[in-house]
Amino acid sequence: MGFLDRLRKDWFILGIVLVITVAKLEPAFGVKGGPLKPEITITYIAVSAIFFNSGLSLKTEELTSALMHVKLHLFVQIFTLVFFPTAIWLFLQLLSITPINEWLLKGLQTVGCMPPPVSSAVILTKAVGGNEAAAIFNSAFGSFLGIVITPLLLLLFLGSSSSVPFSSIFSQLFMTVVVPLIIGQIVRRYIKEWLERKKPPFGAISSCVLLMIIYTTFCDTFSNPNIDLDKFSLIIIVFIIFSVQLGFMMLTFFFSTRKNSGFTPADTVAIIFCSTHKSLTLGIPMLKIVFEGYEHLSLISVPLLIYHPAQILLGSVLVPTIKSWMISRQKALKLTKQPKMPVKV
């Protein structure tokens, strides 16, 4: 593979690195009230664009069939909203005796409480060629569950006296996730032939929007003059985050590929990404609501800010490996299902 091919293949990883670098150098550009106006462009337009794009690209019959895959949905939601936060809490009991910054550890717990993402899991599942419809459903459904369950988990594990306006979060999520998805499906009906003929780069469009979300969030956090990061703790937290992600990806792969699991290779791809990814676009607003007025809110937010680009980096690196596994597995299953030819005597 030549340098240009490799560069084109890894453009998204390079883009994230560039985003983090620029966000550190010029934080005022993407903060609230800055030239990009992220309180409008990100909160409402960016996420809506991702799901309109998904609605436009996804075949309606695939989305309909995905709604009936109850076993897959239960697996993803239970792993994400029950097993994940509980496992992190148990792990943090061991880390509490270490010199790691306690607020960064609390931030790790908030990561565990977050719902599935509304963008990255869908994009990576699509890149591999997995069950995109199941990924979209679990991203949207998990986000709606997260509106109620995530604040309760945060209150359970960390505590807060803030009141959480569920209705406003629910209405915002409905308008930025469900409505654009439905509109995209409606528009698709009228331009279906053109879409199949031209094949627009839906994946690249969603990736660009996701980069914008990451950039503005980094700007908003690191522009805070009161943030005091301990380098040792930060390095350890980054290592822990990558280890947790990789470990949980392997765990979901193991459980979803067992005999009699009932999951196809394409289902496994959606499970791996949806079960282990956490929402930044929904998580940061929730943290600001639940921990409003907390002196260490910026430090608590740091692990989630690291986790989100880390899950995309790790996922992007693993896309070729997971894709080759899925294709070989699908071929093997087709061969086993083919009727054996009778042997002539």
Side-chain angles (χ1 to χ4, degrees):
M1 181 182 293
F3 173 75
L4 290 177
D5 292 332
R6 180 68 181 175
L7 184 65
R8 185 165 55 249
K9 186 176 182 181
D10 294 341
W11 74 271
F12 193 52
I13 297 175
L14 294 171
I16 292 177
V17 174
L18 180 62
V19 158
I20 296 172
T21 303
V22 175
K24 289 285 284 182
L25 293 175
E26 192 59 45
F29 195 66
V31 299
K32 185 176 180 180
L36 292 179
K37 300 294 181 184
E39 64 273 19
I40 298 173
T41 57
I42 299 302
T43 305
Y44 299 102
I45 299 175
V47 177
S48 299
I50 287 176
F51 275 87
F52 173 76
N53 190 42
S54 295
L56 203 60
S57 62
L58 188 66
K59 295 179 180 178
T60 307
E61 56 272 18
E62 291 179 357
L63 186 60
T64 305
S65 64
L67 299 178
M68 307 307 295
H69 206 332
V70 178
K71 187 177 180 180
L72 188 152
H73 308 325
L74 284 174
F75 183 100
V76 171
Q77 302 307 326
I78 290 173
F79 190 96
T80 307
L81 297 172
V82 179
F83 176 81
F84 203 125
T86 304
I88 292 294
W89 182 81
L90 293 172
F91 182 50
L92 291 181
Q93 303 311 301
L94 299 175
L95 293 180
S96 62
I97 62 175
T98 66
I100 302 174
N101 187 295
E102 65 170 312
W103 298 106
L104 289 179
L105 292 180
K106 289 180 183 293
L108 275 179
Q109 185 63 69
T110 66
V111 170
C113 298
M114 292 299 149
V118 293
S119 49
S120 60
V122 175
I123 293 169
L124 290 170
T125 301
K126 184 180 180 67
V128 174
N131 192 337
E132 185 191 358
I136 288 177
F137 177 84
N138 278 283
S139 293
F141 183 59
S143 296
F144 278 105
L145 286 179
I147 293 171
V148 177
I149 296 176
T150 294
L152 293 177
L153 289 173
L154 291 173
L155 296 173
L156 173 66
F157 288 111
L158 299 173
S160 173
S161 58
S162 302
S163 58
V164 183
F166 294 111
S167 58
S168 62
I169 302 177
F170 185 88
S171 59
Q172 179 180 324
L173 195 63
F174 181 81
M175 293 303 296
T176 56
V177 174
V178 177
V179 172
L181 186 65
I182 294 173
I183 293 174
Q185 284 283 285
I186 294 172
V187 173
R188 179 183 170 82
R189 292 182 60 185
Y190 294 97
I191 60 171
K192 184 178 179 180
E193 293 182 1
W194 181 86
L195 291 172
E196 292 178 352
R197 186 172 66 255
K198 294 294 184 180
K199 299 187 183 300
F202 292 113
I205 294 170
S206 296
S207 297
C208 289
V209 176
L210 192 59
L211 279 173
M212 185 178 176
I213 293 172
I214 295 171
Y215 169 73
T216 54
T217 307
F218 262 83
C219 286
D220 200 33
T221 298
F222 288 106
S223 64
N224 187 342
N226 298 321
I227 192 168
D228 183 22
L229 284 174
D230 171 22
K231 291 182 180 179
F232 169 78
S233 296
L234 186 60
I235 292 171
I236 296 298
I237 290 295
V238 171
F239 174 77
I240 290 172
I241 284 173
F242 274 99
S243 300
V244 166
Q245 280 191 49
L246 189 58
F248 281 177
M249 288 178 80
M250 293 174 65
L251 194 62
T252 53
F253 177 81
F254 171 76
F255 281 112
S256 61
T257 54
R258 289 187 306 168
K259 289 184 178 179
N260 303 321
S261 68
F263 299 126
T264 66
D267 292 339
T268 296
V269 173
I271 287 171
I272 288 173
F273 291 126
C274 290
S275 299
T276 59
H277 282 207
K278 294 293 184 175
S279 175
L280 176 70
T281 51
L282 188 61
I284 292 298
M286 278 191 176
L287 289 180
K288 289 180 178 178
I289 291 169
V290 177
F291 298 104
E292 184 179 4
Y294 264 48
E295 180 184 354
H296 301 284
L297 175 59
S298 293
L299 282 175
I300 291 175
S301 304
V302 166
L304 182 57
L305 285 171
I306 296 171
Y307 194 96
H308 190 80
Q311 70 191 9
I312 301 170
L313 281 168
L314 188 59
S316 300
V317 170
L318 293 176
V319 159
T321 303
I322 297 175
K323 189 172 186 176
S324 63
W325 168 82
M326 186 189 73
I327 292 172
S328 62
R329 183 64 177 163
Q330 286 175 333
K331 289 180 179 178
L333 289 174
K334 284 182 180 179
L335 289 175
T336 57
K337 290 179 180 180
Q338 287 180 354
K340 294 182 179 180
M341 297 295 291
V343 179
K344 294 183 180 180
V345 180

